[in-house]
Structure formats: C-alpha cells, structure tokens
Amino acid sequence: MPPPSLIADHASELERIFEEHAGEDKKLQPAELTPALVAMGVQLTPAEMRDTLARVDADGDGELDFDEFASIFEIGSLREVFDEMDADKSGFIDEHELRLALNELGYQASKRDVLNMMSRVDADGDG
C-alpha cells in the first residue's frame, strides 16, 4: 500500500477516478486502467502498462483493486526519487551519489557508512 502521506494527499482524487473507471466488481480491468491513468495525468506505453500491471497486481488476478491502483503512484514516486539521486543518469546509484543524497537529507554519513549501506542492498555490487 502507498505511504500514508500519499494516500492522505491524493485519496479523494484517487478514489473518485478509481470509482469512475472500475466495474461493478470494484476492480479495474486492464482496458479500464489506461483511461483511469490518463485521468490522473499518467500516460504509459503498452509495454510500460504491462510492466506496471505486473508489478502492482499483488494477487495476480489481472485486475486492480483500489489499493493496487493507488500503489502505482508509489512506484512513480520512488522512480522520481531514484532518478533525482542518479546524478549522472547512469541508471545506477553509486557511493558518491548516495552520500550526496544522504547529506542533502541532513545525514552526515561517512564513506564507510555508505559502503556498508550499499553492501546490504546491492547484492551484485553494480550500484
């Protein structure tokens, strides 16, 4: 489920659009998802739509309930954060970029701290 702040900030709009486009079963079919996203200002290619549906369809039924629909916007927010941290636009976050991001958030992390963090989440060491 998306972070509480995202739901609080956009709950009424998300609910309104979901209800306008969902069927009687209170789920969005793939064909209903595109117009619902367009109503939210999101336009995806067919490949992006398939990828998004695969990532957020938690129960794998090929339809989205409200929580699954709302989680699309969490993914978008996370991608924006990643892109902002990826200063050189390499598609990876290296030690220097992570350290800069932490410093901007007010954390004074040492190189050792950052390398330790990265070793915990970057299993193949590619950034």
Side-chain angles (χ1 to χ4, degrees):
M1 177 175 255
S5 62
L6 179 68
I7 292 295
D9 292 346
H10 303 286
S12 62
E13 185 177 7
L14 287 172
E15 288 173 4
R16 179 184 60 77
I17 289 173
F18 181 82
E19 288 175 11
E20 284 177 9
H21 296 278
E24 290 180 20
D25 61 352
K26 301 291 184 194
K27 291 195 170 202
L28 287 172
Q29 305 292 324
E32 297 164 332
L33 181 57
T34 298
L37 290 175
V38 168
M40 292 293 298
V42 177
Q43 294 188 354
L44 301 176
T45 67
E48 290 170 328
M49 183 66 71
R50 283 188 302 274
D51 182 52
T52 298
L53 185 59
R55 283 190 278 154
V56 300
D57 184 15
D59 59 11
D61 66 356
E63 305 170 328
L64 300 183
D65 62 25
F66 178 74
D67 288 339
E68 292 167 332
F69 173 68
S71 73
I72 291 171
F73 301 94
E74 175 184 12
I75 290 170
S77 297
L78 291 174
R79 184 68 202 186
E80 288 171 17
V81 169
F82 180 91
D83 289 345
E84 190 172 318
M85 289 175 64
D86 183 20
D88 65 4
K89 306 302 178 210
S90 65
F92 298 93
I93 296 174
D94 62 28
E95 175 263 328
H96 177 72
E97 291 166 329
L98 180 56
R99 191 169 183 190
L100 285 174
L102 290 170
N103 287 342
E104 287 180 24
L105 292 170
Y107 297 101
Q108 298 303 314
S110 69
K111 182 174 182 169
R112 181 178 177 192
D113 292 335
V114 171
L115 291 174
N116 186 31
M117 284 182 225
M118 291 186 74
S119 72
R120 291 181 181 190
V121 297
D122 185 15
D124 63 5
D126 66 354

